[in-house]
Amino acid sequence: GNTVRAGGGAGIVVSEGAAAGLRRNDVSGHPRGEVHVLCGGDDGTAAAAAVGGGALLEGNRVHGSGGGGVLVSGCAAGGCTLRDNDVFGNAAAGVRVCDGAAPLLERNTLRDGGDCGVVVCAGCAPLLRDNEVTRNAKAGVIAHGAGAAPTLIANRLLRGLQAGAYFYDGAAGIVHRNEIAANSGAGVLIAEGADPTLSGNAVHDGDDAGILVHSDGRGRLLRNNVHSNRTYGVAALTGGRPTLRGNRLHGARQGGLLVDEGGDADAEGNLIELNAKAGVTLRGACAPTLRRNRIRDGRDSGVHCMRGAGGTLEGNDVSGNELAGVTVETAAAPLLRGNAIHDGKMAGVLYFEGGLGTMEENDVWANEEGGVVITEASAPLIARNTLRAQGKESAGLWVHSGGLG
């Protein structure tokens, strides 16, 4: 219940050997940060025993710092708990976790900061559970460096001015059942060899992609609901290579999945539907693998391959799209094998402007403007497909206007 205000250094320092309980204090206005919990030894290693039963920060208001809100350094699992605190309006990170620390952050509000909500440095593994991280000037949560491996469960990462969560420089971690919404950048940004696992999250209504993987980022995306983002549900660019299993990518103002600029992806068993542009766009020097996905009911093509894109589409169900089920153009050369392509408003598969590739053992039916259409110097290999019962008395295979094949 103390007020600690406007000193020359940090507001409160809990150092080695202290088992401190800080409850319902108002700590503000210090130039070097508000609360420092320092559990490490001289070599910076984690030392839970140094704080006895552990430091507990509960129900405090931590705000208005010229530095950060709370610094946790060197506290191993059980060494520090932050619960029910309101951390806001600090110039640097709301909470910074460094030097191998693994605190528990639970039911805190981390808001309106001049930097990130939470920063997790190399070698740190905090648990963040049921926090609200909102309206910060940079990413809601940042994890960077080898061994950075936060676990985020049931948090709300909202309305940040950059990404909701940003993993880079080899960071890992688990992101499970969070709501990540209305951020100005990507909902989740993965780069520079980072490889987190995202499962069961709702990622929506952001001003960029729902999940953006680039610059050799990886990531396992499992059973996430990604919707209503301004660009794409998931985008893999410049060496980004995510694995997607069982996600629903829908309602994007552009498309469900974009692979471009040398990106890659391994996508299996996803539902990609109701997007404003192509459900899947493959563009440029990329060769992703798409297997057993359902790609349906979009306002453009189901899959659009262009500008030399390659890749394998196998065993997918592509249906009900406003344009062609699969469109291939401008020297793109995908392998289409064993797909069901049906009930589209235009052709099942359209090759134009030099589209290439191989189409084999697909079942193509009930498309309103033909099964396969080849035109404008396109020259795919078409082999062992079933082209049946197209709509409006359209041809199963129609080659015209300089098409080959």
Side-chain angles (χ1 to χ4, degrees):
N2 301 286
T3 298
V4 184
R5 189 162 295 164
I12 298 174
V13 177
V14 181
S15 60
E16 301 153 46
L22 282 64
R23 295 181 175 88
R24 298 182 300 281
N25 301 286
D26 189 299
V27 190
S28 68
H30 296 85
R32 296 183 57 191
E34 299 304 332
V35 181
H36 293 185
V37 183
L38 310 175
C39 308
D42 292 339
D43 61 355
T45 57
V51 293
L56 171 64
L57 284 68
E58 186 172 34
N60 302 283
R61 299 176 77 245
V62 181
H63 60 103
S65 168
V70 180
L71 169 66
V72 183
S73 174
C75 301
C80 182
T81 297
L82 283 67
R83 181 179 293 125
D84 295 322
N85 300 285
D86 188 7
V87 182
F88 64 96
N90 299 290
V95 176
R96 182 177 182 86
V97 182
C98 61
D99 296 324
L104 167 63
L105 282 67
E106 186 172 48
R107 299 196 305 269
N108 302 284
T109 300
L110 309 169
R111 60 184 175 91
D112 299 304
D115 202 281
C116 307
V118 180
V119 175
V120 180
C121 300
C124 297
L127 170 59
L128 284 69
R129 185 168 58 211
D130 194 21
N131 302 282
E132 181 159 315
V133 185
T134 185
R135 298 192 304 269
N136 293 287
K138 295 187 178 179
V141 176
I142 281 185
H144 66 91
T151 298
L152 283 67
I153 299 175
N155 302 283
R156 295 163 301 287
L157 311 182
L158 310 174
R159 295 185 291 279
L161 299 185
Q162 295 187 11
Y166 181 18
F167 293 81
Y168 70 99
D169 190 23
I174 295 170
V175 183
H176 180 57
R177 292 194 298 107
N178 301 277
E179 181 180 12
I180 303 171
N183 295 286
S184 296
V188 180
L189 179 59
I190 303 171
E192 299 174 16
D195 192 16
T197 296
L198 282 61
S199 63
N201 302 285
V203 185
H204 61 96
D205 291 291
D207 284 342
D208 201 329
I211 301 170
L212 173 57
V213 186
H214 72 98
S215 303
D216 299 312
R218 297 294 183 263
R220 289 178 55 79
L221 317 180
L222 312 175
R223 303 177 301 282
N224 300 285
N225 183 10
V226 185
H227 67 91
S228 307
N229 294 287
R230 185 177 294 276
T231 61
Y232 294 88
V234 175
L237 313 176
T238 57
R241 193 170 66 193
T243 298
L244 294 84
R245 298 287 186 272
N247 302 282
R248 186 182 181 207
L249 312 179
H250 61 108
R253 299 180 203 178
Q254 293 194 29
L257 171 63
L258 170 67
V259 184
D260 193 6
E261 301 174 11
D264 200 354
D266 177 3
E268 184 172 340
N270 303 283
L271 174 58
I272 303 172
E273 63 177 349
L274 300 168
N275 294 289
K277 295 189 177 179
V280 176
T281 298
L282 309 181
R283 187 165 58 201
C286 64
T289 300
L290 282 74
R291 289 192 172 95
R292 292 182 285 281
N293 302 285
R294 290 176 291 160
I295 305 168
R296 68 188 190 191
D297 299 326
R299 298 207 297 260
D300 202 292
S301 297
V303 180
H304 195 164
C305 308
M306 66 182 84
R307 301 181 195 171
T312 299
L313 284 73
E314 185 170 17
N316 301 284
D317 188 287
V318 183
S319 68
N321 296 286
E322 293 291 330
L323 300 184
V326 179
T327 297
V328 183
E329 59 158 308
T330 52
L335 169 62
L336 312 181
R337 178 189 290 137
N339 301 286
I341 304 170
H342 59 99
D343 292 289
K345 304 299 190 293
M346 295 185 68
V349 182
L350 171 62
Y351 293 89
F352 76 104
E353 290 189 8
L356 304 169
T358 298
M359 178 180 173
E360 61 185 22
E361 300 177 357
N362 300 280
D363 191 359
V364 184
W365 78 92
N367 298 286
E368 292 187 9
E369 296 190 6
V372 178
V373 176
I374 304 172
T375 185
E376 298 173 355
S378 297
L381 172 64
I382 310 297
R384 300 184 303 281
N385 299 282
T386 300
L387 310 176
R388 58 188 172 91
Q390 309 305 321
K392 296 182 179 179
E393 300 182 354
S394 299
L397 174 62
W398 186 22
V399 183
H400 67 96
S401 304
L404 304 167

